[in-house]
Amino acid sequence: MMASGASWESEAFTRLDGEDGVVVLKRCVDVDDLLATATSGQADVAVVGLEAPGLDPAAVAHLRRYAVRPVAVVSRTDDPDVLTRAQRVDIGALVAFDDLATLAGAVTTVEGVADTRVRAEPGDLGEPAPATTPEHRLVVVWGSGGAPGRTTTAVTMASLLAQRGRDTVLVDADPYGGGVAQQLGILDEVSGILSAARLAGSGHLAERFDSTCRGVGDRLRVVTGLPRADRWLEVRATALEQTLERALERGDVVVDTGFSLEDEPGQDFGSRPSRNAMTLAALDLADEVVVVGSADPVGLSRLARGLVELRDRTGGAPVRVVVNRMRPSLGWSEREIAGMVEGFSRVLGLHFLPDDRAATDRALVAGRALPETGDSSLLRAYDALVDATWPESATPEAPGRRRGRRAGRRRGVG
Ligand SMILES: Nc1ncnc2c1ncn2[C@@H]1O[C@H](COP(=O)(O)OP(=O)(O)OP(=O)(O)O)[C@@H](O)[C@H]1O
Ligand SMILES: [Mg+2]
């Protein structure tokens, strides 16, 4: 229950608390508190003041995602302004201040829409949200600090997948400032993720998602990232979740994230997202995580720690490990690295990418993805990575079409 100090709160509490079959779990002080309580998974219904500050479509979507059904207490149930606001935030169950005798009844009978736990979206009232096509998958690219090549990996994987004829959405969700737009030579000032966050806040993301994407070629859509690192405050986890859910309706999704998994508990609700909320939200929704580490000693120790952190923090989406910038001068073999990675985590596969400054520079200077700037050993290794991540996209070798896939090395682990 969350009333934000409204006058009806104590009467509502007394009436509910005395009702058979109703347990008032918590009287929440504000929307932040309410959303955190919903996340605990113990609540079935939220009784909210419709006018409570911060109760916006994204907050209600968060409740529904955790299967918490909202009942709003309002001044009048026949006031058009009230009804418009209720519709905007997507709450159908309304009880008037002066009719609290019916509150317990409303709480025990409020419709539990069976499929609200996932993919619910305010804004498409009345029509069911289009079901996410099950074969679309969400792959999140993550890696510890030290610029191991997360962005290069996300951009190249998305670009190769699109080149294979699959509709693909690349989302830059790095809270420390996006690099995807630069790598793809997208120069306009409009940030896809900021406009998606604004649309999510106003409840219009469903119908206007496409306006947040930039097309690159026929099959690749790009949601560009934060133009400056300090704008992370504008993107809440719920907004990113909705963006990714929309993206999944368009195609396979590849997400570039930040390096840190540090969480500030309780910060990620209401108006104050936590710094790493975007990274954590993406990882929570991932079907598969690609962890990128550098092959040098510092990079490998970060990779080892990162794998442990990831295992502790996330719900166990399968992990694929990419060791980037392999070079003979480092003096260790793939087998030695495989032994180390195996010791830290069970992974789907371990992939090695060669250090190839010439190829990455060519792409960076051209402002194009690697696959568009000519063949290289690095590109062949990425091709093998995409074969493994989307086996269904790996067509039988057609002469002249595919680059020599055997050159990409992959080692199964665990
Ligand atoms: N295999 C490679 N060979 C040579 N250079 C590479 C390779 N992979 C990435 N790089 C280069 O390393 C630099 C960092 O890569 P990238 O921006 O992809 O890293 P990141 O992990 O996203 O870093 P950040 O923390 O800045 O987001 C870039 O200049 C990129 O071109
Ligand atoms: Mg990056």
Side-chain angles (χ1 to χ4, degrees), residues 128-265:
T132 302
T133 322
E135 61 266 26
H136 293 163
R137 291 169 61 231
L138 180 70
V139 172
V140 174
V141 179
W142 179 75
S144 316
R150 292 184 306 270
T151 302
T152 306
T153 298
V155 167
T156 309
M157 289 180 86
S159 163
L160 281 170
L161 197 59
Q163 215 178 55
R164 294 177 181 198
R166 288 176 74 97
D167 288 317
T168 307
V169 186
L170 171 62
V171 179
D172 187 337
D174 187 341
Y176 295 84
V180 166
Q182 285 91 326
Q183 287 204 14
L184 285 171
I186 300 173
L187 298 174
D188 53 285
E189 296 288 301
V190 182
S191 157
I193 199 73
L194 287 181
S195 56
R198 278 192 294 270
L199 289 169
S202 68
H204 295 106
L205 185 61
E207 65 271 20
R208 296 192 38 209
F209 173 75
D210 289 319
S211 74
T212 69
C213 302
R214 274 284 308 255
V216 175
D218 289 342
R219 300 235 175 238
L220 180 59
R221 287 182 170 92
V222 181
V223 178
T224 56
L226 298 178
R228 286 201 322 262
D230 61 346
R231 309 275 310 259
W232 62 272
L233 270 165
E234 292 167 50
V235 186
R236 290 193 208 172
T238 50
L240 182 71
E241 284 166 9
Q242 290 178 35
T243 303
L244 297 180
E245 285 162 6
R246 289 296 146 196
L248 274 170
E249 290 165 6
R250 304 299 191 277
D252 289 303
V253 180
V254 180
V255 189
D256 185 15
T257 61
F259 64 88
S260 175
L261 299 182
E262 259 172 56
D263 202 0
E264 307 153 53

Side-chain angles (χ1 to χ4, degrees), residues 301-318:
S301 70
R302 283 181 174 154
L303 174 63
R305 263 184 284 131
L307 288 171
V308 173
E309 241 189 296
L310 188 69
R311 190 186 55 202
D312 294 346
R313 174 57 186 75
T314 62

Side-chain angles (χ1 to χ4, degrees), residues 59-388:
V60 174
H62 178 96
L63 294 177
R64 294 194 191 283
R65 191 168 291 110
Y66 287 92
V68 178
R69 281 111 58 190
V71 174
V73 177
V74 300
S75 51
R76 297 176 52 154
T77 50
D78 57 357
D79 177 338
D81 289 346
V82 168
L83 296 177
T84 306
R85 172 156 167 79
Q87 187 171 36
R88 191 178 78 83
V89 298
D90 191 20
I91 299 183
L94 308 177
V95 174
F97 294 161
D98 56 9
D99 196 20
L100 288 176
T102 63
L103 181 60
V107 163
T108 47
T109 58
V110 58
E111 279 290 303
V113 183
D115 62 357
T116 50
R117 188 177 282 274
V118 288
R119 319 264 186 242
E121 175 70 37
D124 42 21
L125 286 173
E127 47 185 317
T132 302
T133 322
E135 61 266 26
H136 293 163
R137 291 169 61 231
L138 180 70
V139 172
V140 174
V141 179
W142 179 75
S144 316
R150 292 184 306 270
T151 302
T152 306
T153 298
V155 167
T156 309
M157 289 180 86
S159 163
L160 281 170
L161 197 59
Q163 215 178 55
R164 294 177 181 198
R166 288 176 74 97
D167 288 317
T168 307
V169 186
L170 171 62
V171 179
D172 187 337
D174 187 341
Y176 295 84
V180 166
Q182 285 91 326
Q183 287 204 14
L184 285 171
I186 300 173
L187 298 174
D188 53 285
E189 296 288 301
V190 182
S191 157
I193 199 73
L194 287 181
S195 56
R198 278 192 294 270
L199 289 169
S202 68
H204 295 106
L205 185 61
E207 65 271 20
R208 296 192 38 209
F209 173 75
D210 289 319
S211 74
T212 69
C213 302
R214 274 284 308 255
V216 175
D218 289 342
R219 300 235 175 238
L220 180 59
R221 287 182 170 92
V222 181
V223 178
T224 56
L226 298 178
R228 286 201 322 262
D230 61 346
R231 309 275 310 259
W232 62 272
L233 270 165
E234 292 167 50
V235 186
R236 290 193 208 172
T238 50
L240 182 71
E241 284 166 9
Q242 290 178 35
T243 303
L244 297 180
E245 285 162 6
R246 289 296 146 196
L248 274 170
E249 290 165 6
R250 304 299 191 277
D252 289 303
V253 180
V254 180
V255 189
D256 185 15
T257 61
F259 64 88
S260 175
L261 299 182
E262 259 172 56
D263 202 0
E264 307 153 53
Q267 288 280 297
D268 181 25
F269 302 104
S271 51
R272 299 157 301 159
S274 80
R275 180 79 205 233
N276 299 308
M278 292 163 78
T279 303
L280 295 170
L283 287 168
D284 283 344
L285 286 181
D287 293 311
E288 192 169 317
V289 181
V290 172
V291 179
V292 186
S294 303
D296 60 87
V298 176
L300 283 183
S301 70
R302 283 181 174 154
L303 174 63
R305 263 184 284 131
L307 288 171
V308 173
E309 241 189 296
L310 188 69
R311 190 186 55 202
D312 294 346
R313 174 57 186 75
T314 62
V319 167
R320 197 174 283 290
V321 175
V322 171
V323 176
N324 192 14
R325 311 196 72 163
M326 278 293 277
R327 47 200 186 270
S329 51
L330 289 169
W332 42 54
S333 67
E334 294 181 2
R335 176 182 289 278
E336 285 166 315
I337 293 178
M340 181 214 83
V341 167
E342 212 168 343
F344 282 98
S345 192
R346 284 177 63 81
V347 299
L348 275 178
L350 174 61
H351 305 257
F352 294 92
L353 305 177
D355 190 45
D356 192 345
R357 195 70 252 191
T360 55
D361 280 350
R362 223 164 34 235
L364 285 175
V365 169
R368 315 283 289 269
L370 271 174
E372 292 174 55
T373 51
D375 195 15
S376 61
S377 58
L378 180 57
L379 185 57
R380 289 192 292 273
Y382 270 122
D383 227 4
L385 174 62
V386 173
D387 282 353

